[in-house]
Amino acid sequence: MTMTEARDCPTILAQTATAVGPLLRSRVCRLPERIRHVCGLHFGWWTEHGTARDAPETRKLLRPALTLLACQAVGGPARAAHPAAVAVELIHNAGLLHDDIIDQDPLRRGRPALWATQGVPAAILAGDALFFAAVQALVGAPGADVSVPVLLDTVQVLIEGEYRDVLLETGADREHEALQVAAGKTAVLLACACELGAAAGGADPERVRHLRAFGHHLGIAFQCADDLLGIWGDPGTTGKPARSDLRHRKVSLPVAAAMAQDSPPARHLRELYRARTPLGDDDCARAADLIEQTGAREATERRALDHVADALRHLDRADPSPVPAAELSSLAHLVVHRDR
């Protein structure tokens, strides 16, 4: 059926889940039995005893949605981008598994993180398995000679971004380093999702370049919003512990923006981060207040909106079909106005 009107964001994401969800599960179910089991626990598909869960899907599948829409934006059928959509979602989840271990976050999507219930080795190996499953999802698909190298390059940048994030936790206060982390950990995968989708749709290199840039800027905006939620978000909607970023002294974008200043609140924040004692609830509340006093919360919100505007300029330059363009625009605005 040809779409004549743009869908709203909930419909886009729900229909993406309907199209991509079974393909994602099919790919994971091809893994060897034991590792397939722990991967399924991470996705919430079954219990520890292998019983199917009745719980509703909690993943929003933003990256696969961008992949399918980028394909449609250049005139391709969404099904042509199904392998790429599966691949980017597998990469995303592999990164989440490893990220939870590094950050020692006990919750993921409101459930115990895999490492917290099955142990660190199981979570590491499950993440490794998903990385390779993502490559397998592209091998044999049309255009694999182009898409597989793009995906592999993306994973290398993700790994570098994750390591930069670890180094930032030592107390570095340079804002540009935090932006490099955002580019490496988040923006590169959204850029890859859009690039692979456009390529699957048969776009010429210039249109692919602009859609990749759309994804890159959207990724920076996403990380800005995510870092704000990491400090001021409601755990009931984020599914993560309150102010866990502050508790772990993570130098997220708002923190880096605050620390870059030479003001009493910025100096007090740096002192809190340099203290050897663990940060308790009162310390975290104080840190959040200090960040607000520096204006870094508002500055991060503005940065997110600026990157959305840059993303939409690149989208326009890609000369997209009207309906997919409107839907990509809606998702771009959702990124900075989401509840998780």
Side-chain angles (χ1 to χ4, degrees):
M1 182 175 70
T2 301
M3 292 185 297
T4 58
E5 294 184 3
R7 301 165 292 176
D8 60 19
C9 288
T11 302
I12 294 167
L13 296 171
Q15 292 183 355
T16 298
T18 298
V20 176
L23 302 176
L24 184 67
R25 184 180 288 223
S26 174
R27 176 55 60 181
V28 172
C29 285
R30 298 182 200 183
L31 296 171
E33 180 182 1
R34 294 296 180 91
I35 204 69
R36 174 176 71 240
H37 176 69
V38 293
C39 287
L41 292 176
H42 163 72
F43 283 107
W45 292 335
W46 45 71
T47 68
E48 192 166 342
H49 302 292
T51 305
R53 285 187 182 275
D54 294 329
E57 175 63 69
T58 58
R59 286 177 304 280
K60 291 189 176 179
L61 299 184
L62 172 66
R63 292 152 192 84
L66 293 173
T67 304
L68 301 187
L69 286 173
C71 180
Q72 292 174 295
V74 298
R79 65 180 178 277
H82 281 173
V86 170
V88 295
E89 185 63 15
L90 289 171
I91 292 294
H92 173 54
N93 279 274
L96 293 181
L97 284 165
H98 289 174
D99 197 51
D100 285 344
I101 295 168
I102 292 168
D103 292 344
Q104 295 187 308
D105 278 337
L107 295 177
R108 168 62 61 184
R109 302 186 182 106
R111 301 193 312 269
L114 189 67
W115 73 269
T117 60
Q118 304 302 308
V120 170
I124 291 174
L125 294 171
D128 292 346
L130 293 184
F131 277 126
F132 285 101
V135 176
Q136 291 172 323
L138 291 180
V139 171
D145 57 327
V146 173
S147 61
V148 170
V150 169
L151 191 75
L152 293 176
D153 287 345
T154 296
V155 172
Q156 293 291 3
V157 176
L158 282 169
I159 293 169
E160 171 75 5
E162 186 68 63
Y163 187 52
R164 283 182 179 273
D165 194 25
V166 171
L167 296 178
L168 271 174
E169 290 185 18
T170 64
D173 59 5
R174 290 173 293 181
E175 196 171 0
H176 77 275
E177 288 285 347
L179 283 168
Q180 287 180 327
V181 168
K185 281 189 63 177
T186 305
V188 70
L189 188 54
L190 270 69
C192 174
C194 294
E195 178 177 0
L196 292 181
D204 62 63
E206 184 68 4
R207 297 177 87 189
V208 170
R209 183 178 71 81
H210 281 301
L211 281 164
R212 179 179 177 85
F214 165 81
H216 169 82
H217 285 289
L218 190 58
I220 300 293
F222 185 101
Q223 191 60 57
C224 288
D226 207 54
D227 286 351
L228 290 166
L229 288 170
I231 299 175
W232 292 284
D234 178 3
T237 55
T238 64
K240 295 174 120 180
R243 292 174 175 161
S244 62
D245 286 359
L246 296 179
R247 201 172 303 278
H248 291 108
R249 292 183 169 89
K250 180 172 286 188
V251 185
S252 61
L253 287 166
V255 173
M259 286 184 171
Q261 299 183 25
D262 184 17
S263 65
R267 289 194 291 272
H268 292 154
L269 181 64
R270 289 194 290 268
E271 289 170 6
L272 266 179
Y273 264 56
R274 289 169 184 159
R276 294 184 179 274
T277 55
L279 295 183
D281 291 343
D282 291 343
D283 296 318
C284 290
R286 175 64 174 153
D289 184 55
L290 290 169
I291 294 166
E292 286 210 70
Q293 289 181 40
T294 66
R297 179 177 184 173
E298 291 183 1
T300 305
E301 291 169 348
R302 287 195 303 272
R303 173 172 277 147
L305 293 173
D306 288 345
H307 277 284
V308 168
D310 288 340
L312 294 178
R313 279 192 284 271
H314 280 286
L315 176 61
D316 185 61
R317 291 169 188 165
D319 190 25
S321 300
V323 171
E327 294 181 350
L328 286 168
S329 178
S330 294
L331 289 179
H333 287 102
L334 174 69
V335 157
V336 292
H337 296 107
R338 58 200 168 95
D339 59 1
R340 54 171 290 155

